[in-house]
Structures are given as structure tokens and as C-alpha cells.
């Protein structure tokens, strides 16, 4: 049986990347010997999360060793020069790959991965994919695959919160080294092609990651939004502002926001400021997210960017119509099904919320189920088997 390793920042925390990694790992464990190497602390292990206990997956917990002060200073010196001078070319990129990932760290992680005798290692997220590319000489015979979850725009826009403009070319050079790099939508593949013709990624959509609960009845007058409260990303601040505008003309509909994170207090302050405490409710993450989908009538995705709108598929699998920012990924997933608003435009979002209260709900719900079936887990896993 072939051995596959997923190298992840975290698996025992809440998040879309964690969930889809867990679900894919569980499905592949039917045909492969699967291990997840995580930077989580060992005491955080909770295999009830995402149903991980349902599959014979192995877990290994890894942490980097310390690096001497002199070595740190030398590495920082070149890394700083690379970033400040925006050095070009593969050679300079490879030097940066080593200076930003010192030999002590590379050796420790390579030793960890060699111990597993894996046939394939998948680096989950762009930073770990780039790290994995740097380790390839130390992993002979191992197929190294990157799995990039952020959209092209999130990584390569001038205002990216993930990598600065000085590192964008570096990341592409590193991705090129890998045996395969998986992206989540064709729009991203086309964008990378325009950026660098020599980079040839593979597109595999994320699968539906949960067993749907009871289909929505479509009579609750409840909007729903789900996601981590990380800075700016999911646009829940925009959604609260838009719901405030919407509520000036509507007194019946409510909004449930399910998630946790550092922006929660800001959201609560906005809700209080608008006097909407009785109509907008923030709920913590839960393993029974299906209950929220089942009780909602319309799903709202207000994200400023998405690598892949996994929640859209989950919502449609419960029969929910969707209001979404006009992200390329949303349009690729839903086509003409979605009720779109201009990304960041709260007035237009408020208008789409009003539109959603007047749609032919049953017709939209039927269409939602049809679209969701395209993201069947077994079909997506079969595509991954070709990569592995």
C-alpha cells in the first residue's frame, strides 16, 4: 500500500483548510497508508474533530528546533537583502529559500519526513508547499506535491496579506520545482499562466466535506454566513454593514454568523452600534454546522477573497440559494445561479439581500442541489489519486 503524508500547519483546529484536508485524508485512507504531520501541539489532538476517528490515519507532531543567534543574523541579512532589493532569478530565489529556512530547520523537517518512508508528501498551503520544494534534494524518490488554498489574487495582489510583492516571483520559482502543484479553480490556473508560462499547475476542486443534514425548508427568514473571523478575509464587517441597510426596510429577516477569531469583538461592537443585537447573532464553531444550514433560508458569502468557496458547496448541498461577492471562484462554482454583488460594495450587498427575499425559493433550491452534486467526494478523490 502506497504511503501518503499531508504536511500541515494544523489539523486539530477549526478552519476550512483543516476540514477539507481531513475529509480528503479520510477518503484516501481507504486505498493508501495516510499520515498527517502537523505543527499542532500533541496535547491538542482531537480525532473527533472532522470525524478523523473514522479512518486509520496516523498522526505525527513536529516542531522546529532552535537556531543559534549568529546563524539567525546571517540568514536574516540575506533574506532582508532579497526582499528589499527584490532580487530576480531562480538562483537568488533558491538562496532566499535557504536563508529563510535555515539548515537546522530543513534538516529537522527532512529527517521527520524521511522517517515515514512516504511515496508522496503533500505540502498544504503555499508556505509549506514552498518549504517542501526546498527539501526535495533531501527526499530522493519522494513525490512532492503542493496544495495551494489561497486564490491567486490573495497571494499576488499588490495588497496581499500573505506574501509581499518582493516574494511573489520566489513562490512561483519554488512551485515550479514540485512534481505537481494543485490549485482550487481554473481562474487561478489561468492567472498563474499569464504570470508565468513555465508554471504548469493542476486544478482540482475541493469536495463537499460533510454529510448534508436535513434540507432547508425555505421558510425561516434567516440568512446564514460561516467562516473564520480573520482580518478582512470573510468580509463579515461588510455583511453587518449591509444588513444594517437592509434592516431599515425589512423587519422580519435575521442573520446568523457562525465562526470564531480575532475580529469577533469588532463585529459585536458593530452589531451593538446598529442596535441589531436581536437580529444578528454570532455563534461559535460547531461540529454540527449542518444544523445551521438546515435552519437557514439563504446563504451569504461576503468574502473579499477566496481560494475556493467551500461553504458555497455546503450551503447548496442543503438546498440554499446564495448571495455572493462577485469573486471569480464563486462564479466558477455557481455560474448564473448566484445572486452577486460587487466585491466590497455594502449598498449592492444590501440590495442582493432584498432580492433574495423575493426569489422563487423552491426553483433556486432545486438548482442548488444539482450544482452541489458536481463536488462529490469520490470523484474529487479519484482526481487526487492520479496526482499521488
Amino acid at each position: 500500500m502506497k504511503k501518503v503524508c499531508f504536511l500541515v500547519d494544523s489539523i486539530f483546529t477549526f478552519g476550512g483548510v483543516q476540514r477539507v484536508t481531513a475529509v480528503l485524508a479520510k477518503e484516501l485512507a481507504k486505498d493508501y497508508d495516510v499520515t498527517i504531520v502537523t505543527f499542532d501541539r500533541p496535547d491538542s489532538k482531537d480525532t473527533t474533530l472532522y470525524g478523523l476517528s473514522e479512518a486509520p490515519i496516523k498522526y505525527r507532531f513536529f516542531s522546529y528546533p532552535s537556531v543559534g543567534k549568529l546563524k539567525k543574523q546571517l540568514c536574516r541579512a540575506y533574506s532582508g537583502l532579497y526582499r528589499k532589493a527584490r532580487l530576480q532569478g531562480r538562483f537568488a530565489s533558491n538562496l532566499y529559500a535557504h536563508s529563510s529556512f535555515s539548515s537546522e530547520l530543513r534538516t529537522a523537517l527532512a529527517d521527520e519526513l524521511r522517517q515515514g518512508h512516504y511515496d508522496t508528501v503533500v505540502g498544504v498551503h503555499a508556505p509549506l508547499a514552498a518549504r517542501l520544494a526546498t527539501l526535495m534534494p533531501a527526499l530522493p524518490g519522494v513525490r512532492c506535491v503542493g496544495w495551494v488554498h489561497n486564490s491567486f489574487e490573495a497571494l499576488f495582489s499588490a495588497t496581499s496579506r500573505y506574501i509581499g510583492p518582493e516574494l511573489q516571483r520566489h513562490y512561483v520559482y519554488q512551485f515550479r520545482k514540485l512534481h505537481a502543484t494543485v490549485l482550487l479553480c481554473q481562474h487561478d490556473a489561468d492567472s498563474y499562466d499569464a504570470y508565468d508560462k513555465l508554471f504548469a499547475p493542476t486544478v482540482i476542486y475541493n469536495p463537499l466535506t460533510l454529510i448534508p443534514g436535513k434540507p432547508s425548508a425555505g421558510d425561516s427568514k434567516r440568512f446564514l454566513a460561516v467562516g473564520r473571523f480573520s482580518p478582512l478575509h470573510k468580509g463579515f464587517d461588510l455583511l453587518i454593514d449591509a444588513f444594517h441597510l437592509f434592516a431599515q426596510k425589512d423587519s422580519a429577516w435575521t442573520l446568523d454568523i457562525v465562526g470564531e477569531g480575532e475580529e469577533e469583538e469588532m463585529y459585536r461592537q458593530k452589531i451593538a452600534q446598529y442596535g441589531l443585537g436581536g437580529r444578528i447573532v454570532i455563534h461559535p464553531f460547531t461540529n454540527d454546522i449542518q444544523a445551521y444550514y438546515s435552519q437557514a433560508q439563504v446563504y451569504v458569502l461576503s468574502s473579499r477573497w477566496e481560494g475556493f468557496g467551500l461553504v458555497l458547496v455546503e450551503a447548496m448541498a442543503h438546498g440554499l440559494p446564495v448571495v455572493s461577492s462577485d469573486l471569480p471562484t464563486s462564479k466558477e462554482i455557481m455560474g448564473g445561479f448566484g445572486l452577486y454583488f460587487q466585491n466590497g460594495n455594502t449598498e449592492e450587498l444590501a440590495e442582493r439581500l432584498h432580492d433574495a427575499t423575493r426569489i422563487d425559493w423552491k426553483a433556486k433550491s432545486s438548482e442548488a442541489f444539482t450544482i452541489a452534486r458536481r463536488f462529490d467526494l469520490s470523484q474529487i478523490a479519484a482526481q487526487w489519486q492520479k496526482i499521488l
Side-chain angles (χ1 to χ4, degrees):
M1 182 179 288
K2 288 188 175 182
K3 304 184 73 174
V4 175
C5 169
F6 287 92
L7 176 63
V8 302
D9 289 311
S10 174
I11 195 67
F12 297 115
T13 52
F14 287 110
V17 175
Q18 292 90 323
R19 177 183 291 180
V20 73
T21 302
V23 168
L24 180 62
K26 287 194 299 179
E27 183 69 13
L28 292 175
K30 296 176 181 178
D31 301 297
Y32 296 85
D33 182 334
V34 175
T35 298
I36 295 177
V37 174
T38 177
F39 289 82
D40 285 318
R41 291 172 55 87
D43 59 11
S44 70
K45 184 176 181 179
D46 178 9
T47 57
T48 64
L49 199 61
Y50 311 121
L52 285 164
S53 58
E54 300 166 4
I57 298 172
K58 302 180 183 70
Y59 303 94
R60 292 187 62 85
F61 298 87
F62 176 78
S63 59
Y64 286 122
S66 59
V67 178
K69 289 183 179 180
L70 178 60
K71 185 65 169 289
K72 281 184 180 179
Q73 290 173 352
L74 291 173
C75 288
R76 285 174 180 168
Y78 177 77
S79 297
L81 174 64
Y82 182 89
R83 297 170 72 108
K84 186 174 182 178
R86 300 194 181 190
L87 301 177
Q88 299 298 310
R90 283 175 293 177
F91 179 73
S93 171
N94 289 337
L95 284 179
Y96 177 78
H98 286 74
S99 67
S100 61
F101 188 29
S102 64
S103 58
E104 291 87 347
L105 309 185
R106 294 196 308 274
T107 298
L109 185 53
D111 287 346
E112 168 63 41
L113 295 176
R114 279 196 299 267
Q115 289 180 35
H117 302 288
Y118 306 116
D119 296 287
T120 301
V121 176
V122 181
V124 181
H125 254 332
L128 281 180
R131 293 286 197 231
L132 183 60
T134 307
L135 291 181
M136 288 177 67
L139 301 173
V142 178
R143 184 165 176 78
C144 295
V145 177
W147 190 8
V148 180
H149 284 262
N150 282 115
S151 68
F152 178 87
E153 285 80 9
L155 292 175
F156 285 79
S157 69
T159 58
S160 172
R161 296 179 61 85
Y162 297 97
I163 59 176
E166 72 278 7
L167 291 182
Q168 291 168 354
R169 175 57 60 181
H170 163 72
Y171 268 80
V172 173
Y173 281 138
Q174 300 310 304
F175 292 163
R176 278 194 205 167
K177 295 180 187 178
L178 295 164
H179 295 106
T181 302
V182 176
L183 306 179
L184 303 184
C185 67
Q186 187 58 47
H187 169 79
D188 280 354
D190 293 342
S191 298
Y192 276 106
D193 181 66
Y195 186 83
D196 187 318
K197 296 290 184 182
L198 297 180
F199 177 43
T202 299
V203 175
I204 303 180
Y205 291 142
N206 279 342
L208 177 63
T209 58
L210 49 69
I211 298 173
K214 182 180 178 181
S216 169
D219 57 4
S220 65
K221 295 187 177 180
R222 297 169 73 170
F223 294 112
L224 173 66
V226 178
R228 182 171 293 281
F229 300 164
S230 53
L232 298 178
H233 184 185
K234 299 297 182 180
F236 294 135
D237 56 326
L238 303 174
L239 177 54
I240 294 168
D241 290 342
F243 189 86
H244 166 61
L245 299 176
F246 166 84
Q248 293 173 15
K249 298 180 181 179
D250 179 280
S251 60
W253 283 65
T254 60
L255 168 63
D256 292 302
I257 302 176
V258 181
E260 296 174 357
E262 58 193 284
E263 289 201 332
E264 181 171 344
E265 183 56 32
M266 181 186 74
Y267 302 155
R268 293 192 180 277
Q269 289 176 5
K270 273 182 172 288
I271 294 168
Q273 174 189 339
Y274 290 138
L276 291 170
R279 298 186 62 185
I280 302 178
V281 181
I282 293 178
H283 307 269
F285 272 125
T286 172
N287 280 331
D288 188 23
I289 191 63
Q290 293 94 323
Y292 287 97
Y293 287 122
S294 299
Q295 294 162 11
Q297 186 167 338
V298 173
Y299 189 82
V300 185
L301 185 135
S302 53
S303 299
R304 290 178 170 90
W305 66 85
E306 284 289 346
F308 182 89
L310 182 61
V311 288
L312 298 179
V313 180
E314 295 176 355
M316 290 186 291
H318 289 82
L320 295 180
V322 175
V323 172
S324 173
S325 46
D326 59 352
L327 300 173
T329 51
S330 294
K331 291 185 173 181
E332 189 170 328
I333 291 169
M334 299 189 297
F337 169 77
L339 298 173
Y340 298 107
F341 66 94
Q342 183 183 34
N343 190 356
N345 189 324
T346 55
E347 291 81 7
E348 197 168 313
L349 172 51
E351 292 175 8
R352 294 294 85 76
L353 295 180
H354 280 294
D355 291 343
T357 68
R358 300 189 290 263
I359 59 174
D360 182 340
W361 191 89
K362 289 187 177 180
K364 276 288 188 181
S365 180
S366 177
E367 189 177 353
F369 286 121
T370 299
I371 296 173
R373 283 193 285 271
R374 300 174 190 165
F375 301 90
D376 177 74
L377 175 58
S378 62
Q379 295 182 38
I380 302 300
Q383 295 175 49
W384 267 99
Q385 289 178 345
K386 295 177 182 179
I387 292 292
L388 299 178

